[in-house]
Amino acid sequence: MIDITIDMEQYDCPYIDISDGCDVSFSAAQWEFDRRTDTLETRMITEGADRDALDNGLGALREHPNLTDYDLLSRQDRVAHVRTTIEETAAMHTIRESGGYITGPFHIEEGSELWHVGFDREDGANGTLAELERQNEFDVVARRSVELADLQGFVQNVSAAMTLIEACRDLSETERRTLEAAVDEGYFECPRGATLGTLAERFDVSKSAVSKTLRRGQSKTISRVAEALRALD
């Protein structure tokens, strides 16, 4: 399998069009292509820079001429979950006709789309990229050949990966920011590049408050890491 990550600008994609004009981003939570109607149904996580930006982005999406269906599923502050259906784009048609397929969720922001595409053979991948160059602007961000053993290991260990993702989701905003700062500034290195005192100064709190936050964050993540290790095949 040839796995390619493409930074793509599709001129007929409503999500790209809207992210270029509004301060919003789109991340695919689910997607399904209907071969009978040549349409793509997606459930998108839409995030705005603020509530007004999200309002503008959702309004533009709902009225976009290339959108065939729209349903707001849920919303909280500046993030929304929407179900949409769009016509097949030219780039999507090229990839499908060449035997390509989507291998992971796509993310759209500031007028471009990060797309994960797979091909069974090298010649199919090379031919598709050459065809895409005729009508699209894109950059190949990454390209790798995935061996059967690697693919098998990935599929078998999805549950372990999800355990780690859930650990990150369980963190509060304060715990996440504190852990990120501790790692970035070398708190966990030997010798340490940061101390409780320097972290306390950064967040304008006491050393005991930083210590408690770090312990809570570490407790949540370490227990899930151990759980993920047990689940690894």
Side-chain angles (χ1 to χ4, degrees):
M1 171 185 166
I2 312 303
D3 190 61
I4 302 177
T5 302
I6 305 174
D7 190 355
M8 171 75 73
E9 296 182 20
Q10 296 187 76
Y11 306 121
D12 54 349
C13 175
Y15 312 116
I16 291 178
D17 187 20
I18 291 166
S19 72
D20 192 32
C22 301
D23 201 358
V24 295
S25 64
F26 300 94
S27 299
Q30 173 272 336
W31 61 95
E32 182 177 357
F33 188 81
D34 189 336
R35 293 181 178 272
R36 299 170 302 170
T37 59
D38 287 341
T39 57
L40 178 71
E41 179 183 296
T42 61
R43 283 170 175 79
M44 288 280 198
I45 303 300
T46 308
E47 183 175 359
D50 51 41
R51 291 179 63 89
D52 289 340
L54 180 61
D55 286 338
N56 293 335
L58 293 179
L61 179 64
R62 187 170 55 249
E63 301 300 326
H64 200 282
N66 289 0
L67 202 76
T68 62
D69 195 19
Y70 170 91
D71 185 20
L72 176 62
L73 302 176
S74 62
R75 173 174 176 163
Q76 183 175 1
D77 194 23
R78 61 186 184 89
V79 180
H81 187 199
V82 298
R83 182 185 60 80
T84 61
T85 303
I86 66 171
E87 300 285 347
E88 181 181 41
T89 64
M92 189 188 308
H93 177 77
T94 298
I95 290 173
R96 285 202 319 105
E97 289 298 303
S98 303
Y101 41 88
I102 303 298
T103 60
F106 43 91
H107 178 75
I108 303 167
E109 188 172 8
E110 296 182 347
S112 67
E113 175 179 13
L114 203 60
W115 218 358
H116 303 280
V117 184
F119 297 90
D120 293 327
R121 296 178 177 82
E122 284 279 358
D123 55 352
N126 294 336
T128 302
L129 292 177
E131 183 67 24
L132 285 173
E133 284 183 340
R134 298 181 182 181
Q135 296 182 332
N136 300 273
E137 295 289 336
F138 69 90
D139 293 312
V140 175
V141 178
R143 174 172 177 158
R144 67 191 184 104
S145 178
V146 182
E147 302 298 331
L148 182 59
D150 295 332
L151 188 60
Q152 179 188 19
F154 173 78
V155 172
Q156 289 178 339
N157 294 310
V158 165
S159 62
M162 289 304 300
T163 297
L164 296 179
I165 292 174
E166 289 300 325
C168 295
R169 289 175 175 167
D170 285 345
L171 294 172
S172 69
E173 179 67 16
T174 300
E175 291 164 352
R176 181 185 64 79
R177 291 192 298 111
T178 304
L179 281 173
E180 287 177 348
V183 172
D184 291 342
E185 298 186 17
Y187 176 79
F188 297 108
E189 295 177 4
C190 185
R192 284 180 170 171
T195 65
L196 288 176
T198 57
L199 292 174
E201 290 179 4
R202 173 166 176 170
F203 294 105
D204 194 23
V205 297
S206 67
K207 288 193 290 186
S208 62
V210 168
S211 178
K212 290 178 181 178
T213 301
L214 282 176
R215 287 201 301 271
R216 286 197 306 268
Q218 288 176 274
S219 177
K220 290 179 180 179
T221 53
I222 292 299
S223 61
R224 290 298 187 94
V225 169
E227 184 180 343
L229 288 172
R230 289 191 291 268
L232 284 174
D233 182 74

